[in-house]
Amino acid sequence: MYKLTHLKELESESIYVLREVAAQFERPAILFSGGKDSIVVTYLAYKAFYPAKIPFPLLHIDTGHNFQETLDYRDALVEKLGAQLIVGSVQESIDTGRVKEEKGYNASRNRLQTTTLLDTIEKYKFDACIGGARRDEEKARAKERFFSHRDEFGQWNPKNQRPELWNIFNGRKNMGEHFRVFPISNWTEMDVWQYIYQENIPLPSLYFTHERKCFLRDGQWLAAEPCMTLKPIEVVETRRVRCRTIGDITCTGLTISEANNLEDIISEIAATRVTERGGRADDKRSETAMEDRKKEGYF
Amino acid sequence: MNTNGYLDMELLRFTTAGSVDDGKSTLIGRLLYDSKSIFEDQLEAVEAASRSRGNEEVNLALLTDGLRAEREQGITIDVAYRYFATPKRKFIIADTPGHVQYTRNMVTGASTADLAIILIDARNGVVEQTVRHSYIASLLGIPFITVCVNKMDLVDFSEDVFNEICLNYKKMAETIGIRAELRFIPISAKHGDNVVTDSTNMPWYDGGTLMNLLETVSIDHKMGDSAQPMRMPVQYVIRPISDKFPDYRAYAGRMAGGVLRAGDRIRVLPSGLESTVKSIMQDDKELEIAHTPESVSVLLNDDIDISRGDMLVPATAQQPVITQQLKMRCCWFNETEMQLRKRYIIRTAVAETVGMVQSVDYKVDVNTLEKVEGVSSLKMNDIAVINVKTSQPLVVDDYASNRITGSLIFIDPDSFETIGAGMVVVES
């Protein structure tokens, strides 16, 4: 008797969306951050077009504040897939005066990425950027479409989105406009981990427990890397931690954890009572921080 | 740790219809909360946001109303998708409230739903809105409708009240020709009666809780069985053009009906050319059989011309219709009115052409369900039966027999917005 599991159905939907991107757009790219969601999207793209190569380059917006493990993983994956890698550098945007670096202890390049991203999209004339955002992550993302239209300023207009019915995706656009496409919109954090487990997808070591120099700020452990400025009262300690999400160092919270394999991580997530973005400093800036950044053109 | 459980779960998509006053947000909040799908930081954020708005009770609507304008105005603008899971199933809720764009939102949410929950306030019974919601659920072909008679605590958990509402609903359902399988559950979303746990207040009811129904209702309709005619719209042609795969040519698509086996004789529409299936691939694995709704790629034994927009169907079983003249039920979404003889882009799952509306048979008043004839344009939220002529032939099925191959959208040729949806009627 045939059994349609939730992971099979989600996988099938995502592959369908990725193939629609390849069919409807001229210059798509995968927004690759090195986090588990963009890793899963890239893996699904591999499946969608096998035995042909993924027909889009991977685009990484590098804040210059990335964990070395993320960059190593990215380079190894690109080589394995035979994919093209394009890097947009936030440092370069700062150096050329496109953006101004934030000051203070909570300074982050998270928001600056938007300018670098939009500049890179324009430079390479990308007409669809595929991202790993999920609707369960954040309340503004809960209203996001699979095919999300962006105007010529790269902005999102959440009040007037195109209705999306059945599995018909409308990627028509005018010159200068582009789309963000989110193939794993319907996946939850748990689905992503279960899928990684089922498919045995390799992940950056940051997701598993390791010893790291870190410090506590506002109840959240952060990595004590050179790009972080510590307040006088903050003390660097060595702890056994892992990342639940991976972003820029300045906004990636670390979880005290002994989980060193996927089964343990899944158990840990099943028991947790805090969302994964609960550890993200970038979302805590205001009640609608994500929506505000998304409107400007953020991921 | 035993991981078999969660790798074995199923997926159910459902939509919820009802106004704020019917307790819809409370019901969704209850399902999420009792299944432990609301996290502490989310609850804290909602509590804080409720307090800062001067709400006395925690306003669970703030969980789904994520946009700034929604939170400021206390309204819901857009379809919100919510997720929760129990050990048996993962659930996707398309929460479709809205004021001005109500019909558009509900049609959108209903298009992919396996089940619709229709909420009725036990004090008010079947009202105009109930009829409208049920009509749309039925129009979109949702296989199951579950009527939750809510606020039973406010009618003393009366069996008579419940029975009368059920009776009235069934009468209405018969009048408008609802084909979905109906279920009725007396609940109190606020207190949790019959939502996740059995109610001790209604010993006369033994039909099980809403959660029990959501966990056990059949999802077989999603999977094509051998009896349903096979459909595979071709999305994309995979051609590696590499040394390892020099002449490889596979047709990629998502199964939209029935099953496909290696060796099956197939026909390509609209060309009508035939071949046999050499192999079916799912990424790097070869499949004996492909089921709906899997994404696969198909290799054929003959070198024939196939491209995006074509459809693979069985050579012998029931065929779709190939036509430039379509009758359909249509819902209009845009402030710009539908005009007769104006050119619109018409898109099915994988094919696109240009078409114009030649005539409107009648418009349906969604509140009274009366047919209004003599109409020559459609406004936002209007539902009508229309006749469309297309420049290229489309390969379609009757929507009632296949929701994927029987559906299409209208795209504005200037703004490229999605401005309407169509459900094909094939008259036999």
Side-chain angles (χ1 to χ4, degrees):
Chain A
M1 169 79 194
Y2 177 68
K3 168 115 183 168
L4 178 66
T5 67
H6 73 300
L7 292 178
K8 177 124 264 174
E9 194 173 339
L10 291 171
E11 178 192 60
S12 165
E13 176 179 85
S14 303
I15 288 175
Y16 177 83
V17 172
L18 284 160
R19 287 170 171 172
E20 279 304 291
V21 176
Q24 292 194 37
F25 295 95
E26 281 172 26
R27 295 181 66 82
I30 295 179
L31 296 172
F32 187 82
S33 71
K36 64 180 190 317
D37 299 320
S38 60
I39 290 170
V40 164
V41 168
T42 307
Y43 179 81
L44 290 164
Y46 161 80
K47 283 196 161 194
F49 303 103
Y50 179 87
K53 283 188 178 157
I54 300 175
F56 340 108
L58 303 190
L59 169 58
H60 183 218
I61 300 302
D62 184 358
T63 61
H65 294 162
N66 276 298
F67 290 100
Q68 190 56 45
E69 290 91 332
T70 304
L71 301 177
D72 293 345
Y73 180 94
R74 176 196 75 187
D75 294 341
L77 182 69
V78 164
E79 186 166 333
K80 193 168 124 192
L81 294 174
Q84 188 198 352
L85 174 70
I86 293 169
V87 178
S89 161
V90 176
Q91 186 62 53
E92 205 177 293
S93 301
I94 294 169
D95 294 345
T96 54
R98 301 281 297 159
V99 290
K100 232 186 183 139
E101 184 121 55
E102 291 182 4
K103 294 197 174 67
Y105 293 115
N106 291 319
S108 167
R109 289 181 172 180
N110 191 276
R111 208 177 143 200
L112 308 188
Q113 292 181 93
T114 301
T115 300
T116 312
L117 172 63
L118 295 179
D119 285 352
T120 313
I121 288 171
E122 206 163 295
K123 180 176 168 191
Y124 290 93
K125 299 197 166 32
F126 291 126
D127 55 1
C129 290
I130 304 161
R134 312 185 319 263
R135 287 175 181 154
D136 79 317
E137 270 183 275
E138 210 283 332
K139 54 191 178 299
R141 286 187 168 163
K143 309 252 159 165
E144 190 55 278
R145 300 289 188 261
F146 278 92
F147 272 40
S148 184
H149 182 258
R150 294 292 185 275
D151 66 17
E152 56 183 321
F153 300 100
Q155 297 191 334
W156 182 50
N157 180 3
K159 276 196 198 169
N160 188 25
Q161 299 196 73
R162 296 178 180 178
E164 233 162 41
L165 297 104
W166 300 290
N167 57 354
I168 308 177
F169 296 103
N170 174 4
R172 287 284 200 135
K173 61 185 178 335
N174 286 300
M175 282 289 287
E177 300 173 344
H178 74 277
F179 272 80
R180 299 291 171 83
V181 180
F182 305 108
I184 60 168
S185 285
N186 275 333
W187 299 46
T188 61
E189 181 189 18
M190 188 54 116
D191 298 328
V192 168
W193 282 109
Q194 290 169 353
Y195 187 71
I196 288 168
Y197 175 78
Q198 177 185 284
E199 303 289 307
N200 200 16
I201 304 170
L203 287 183
S205 53
L206 291 163
Y207 280 112
F208 304 97
T209 187
H210 57 284
E211 272 193 1
R212 180 172 290 276
K213 288 200 171 73
C214 39
F215 66 98
L216 198 58
R217 176 177 292 172
D218 302 330
Q220 178 65 60
W221 288 97
L222 295 165
E225 294 280 324
C227 61
M228 301 295 272
T229 314
L230 269 68
K231 295 176 190 171
I233 54 156
E234 288 168 345
V235 189
V236 174
E237 298 170 48
T238 302
R239 290 290 169 120
R240 287 195 67 77
V241 294
R242 65 175 207 88
C243 297
R244 199 169 156 198
T245 70
I246 296 179
D248 175 285
I249 291 170
T250 60
C251 61
T252 301
L254 305 168
T255 310
I256 304 287
S257 167
E258 287 296 327
N260 67 355
N261 59 60
L262 291 168
E263 285 102 321
D264 287 355
I265 289 174
I266 290 170
S267 308
E268 193 177 286
I269 289 162
T272 187
R273 302 300 306 135
V274 182
T275 62
E276 60 181 327
R277 296 197 78 90
R280 291 289 285 254
D282 46 335
D283 288 344
K284 290 196 173 162
R285 293 191 167 192
S286 86
E287 213 179 275
T288 52
M290 172 67 89
E291 180 189 349
D292 296 343
R293 276 178 293 146
K294 278 179 70 70
K295 279 182 183 165
E296 290 168 3
Y298 187 71
F299 299 97
Chain B
M1 175 177 170
N2 178 13
T3 50
N4 293 333
Y6 57 69
L7 297 183
D8 217 22
M9 281 160 57
E10 295 167 334
L11 175 60
L12 185 83
R13 296 170 204 248
F14 66 93
T15 178
T16 48
S19 72
V20 181
D21 303 333
D22 294 331
K24 184 156 63 73
S25 295
T26 316
L27 177 65
I28 292 174
R30 173 66 60 185
L31 286 169
L32 296 174
Y33 193 78
D34 286 359
S35 64
K36 298 190 170 51
S37 304
I38 296 178
F39 293 99
E40 276 169 15
D41 53 323
Q42 285 177 314
L43 196 61
E44 274 169 27
V46 168
E47 278 168 357
S50 305
R51 270 197 306 276
S52 73
R53 281 167 179 72
N55 299 343
E56 277 182 21
E57 286 182 37
V58 174
N59 182 357
L60 287 168
L62 290 171
L63 271 175
T64 45
D65 293 347
L67 302 174
R68 184 184 285 276
E70 293 176 320
R71 295 164 85 86
E72 283 170 1
Q73 298 169 38
I75 56 160
T76 309
I77 289 169
D78 205 349
V79 186
Y81 294 92
R82 282 280 147 196
Y83 303 83
F84 70 100
T86 66
K88 292 194 185 103
R89 279 190 180 169
K90 171 200 164 88
F91 299 95
I92 302 179
I93 313 174
D95 185 13
T96 60
H99 300 259
V100 189
Q101 299 174 331
Y102 189 83
T103 302
R104 157 179 158 170
N105 283 343
M106 187 172 168
V107 166
T108 302
S111 71
T112 51
D114 304 308
L115 179 145
I117 294 178
I118 306 259
L119 271 166
I120 294 179
D121 186 326
R123 295 169 303 176
N124 304 334
V126 175
V127 295
E128 199 173 87
Q129 207 178 88
T130 317
V131 178
R132 183 168 71 183
H133 295 157
S134 305
Y135 176 72
I136 295 172
S138 167
L139 180 76
L140 272 289
I142 301 179
F144 299 95
I145 292 179
T146 299
V147 180
C148 286
V149 181
N150 191 22
K151 304 194 184 178
M152 287 300 291
D153 52 314
L154 299 182
V155 295
D156 300 323
F157 299 105
S158 160
E159 185 179 5
D160 291 343
V161 170
F162 176 71
N163 284 341
E164 200 194 323
I165 292 174
C166 295
L167 202 68
N168 287 340
Y169 189 94
K170 281 178 194 157
K171 261 189 242 161
M172 180 272 289
E174 201 166 310
T175 317
I176 64 177
I178 289 180
R179 298 189 312 160
E181 199 177 311
L182 294 175
R183 285 285 292 274
F184 299 88
I185 307 178
I187 65 166
S188 165
K190 192 171 174 189
H191 301 290
D193 294 80
N194 289 332
V195 179
V196 176
T197 47
D198 279 315
S199 171
T200 51
N201 294 311
M202 292 175 273
W204 47 265
Y205 172 79
D206 60 1
T209 63
L210 174 61
M211 184 67 97
N212 179 265
L213 176 72
L214 294 174
E215 282 188 319
T216 54
V217 68
S218 168
I219 57 162
D220 288 351
H221 61 273
K222 290 202 275 196
M223 299 167 269
D225 57 30
S226 307
Q228 187 191 24
M230 189 278 292
R231 301 285 184 260
M232 200 201 84
V234 175
Q235 258 189 297
Y236 187 80
V237 183
I238 297 176
R239 289 194 309 140
I241 322 179
S242 62
D243 293 343
K244 200 172 160 200
F245 302 96
D247 301 312
Y248 190 95
R249 196 177 170 87
Y251 306 101
R254 193 176 189 195
M255 293 288 293
V259 298
L260 180 66
R261 288 182 180 78
D264 279 357
R265 186 84 187 152
I266 58 102
R267 181 175 295 153
V268 184
L269 295 180
S271 74
L273 297 169
E274 290 188 16
S275 183
T276 47
V277 176
K278 184 174 160 197
S279 57
I280 305 168
M281 300 295 290
Q282 198 160 56
D283 46 84
D284 49 6
K285 292 180 293 290
E286 197 169 331
L287 298 182
E288 277 293 304
I289 178 167
H291 294 85
T292 304
E294 289 177 19
S295 282
V296 294
S297 58
V298 178
L299 290 93
L300 300 178
N301 280 320
D302 304 279
D303 199 6
I304 50 179
D305 181 22
I306 301 176
S307 56
R308 175 174 168 85
D310 290 343
M311 198 187 297
L312 307 187
V313 305
T316 47
Q318 195 195 339
Q319 300 290 304
V321 176
I322 307 169
T323 180
Q324 287 175 258
Q325 199 71 53
L326 299 125
K327 187 180 281 295
M328 66 186 76
R329 295 191 171 83
C330 165
C331 179
W332 203 250
F333 292 151
N334 208 266
E335 277 133 8
T336 315
E337 289 183 17
M338 185 277 289
Q339 292 173 32
L340 293 182
R341 303 204 65 78
K342 183 181 166 169
R343 280 169 178 75
Y344 296 111
I345 299 166
I346 292 183
R347 173 179 289 221
T348 63
V350 295
E352 195 179 270
T353 181
V354 174
M356 61 171 81
V357 182
Q358 290 185 303
S359 61
V360 179
D361 285 357
Y362 58 86
K363 195 167 97 171
V364 178
D365 181 322
V366 287
N367 293 317
T368 61
L369 302 184
E370 277 170 22
K371 292 178 182 176
V372 184
E373 287 178 22
V375 178
S376 60
S377 79
L378 297 178
K379 295 191 180 65
M380 184 159 80
N381 293 329
D382 277 352
I383 291 173
V385 174
I386 60 173
N387 299 294
V388 173
K389 187 177 184 184
T390 60
S391 71
Q392 299 295 320
L394 287 174
V395 181
V396 291
D397 283 294
D398 187 58
Y399 183 80
S401 69
N402 193 315
R403 290 165 85 184
I404 299 299
T405 54
S407 54
L408 53 86
I409 59 170
F410 290 82
I411 298 173
D412 186 283
D414 301 315
S415 70
F416 296 132
E417 283 181 273
T418 302
I419 52 175
M423 289 145 277
V424 174
V425 179
V426 176
E427 286 166 333
S428 48

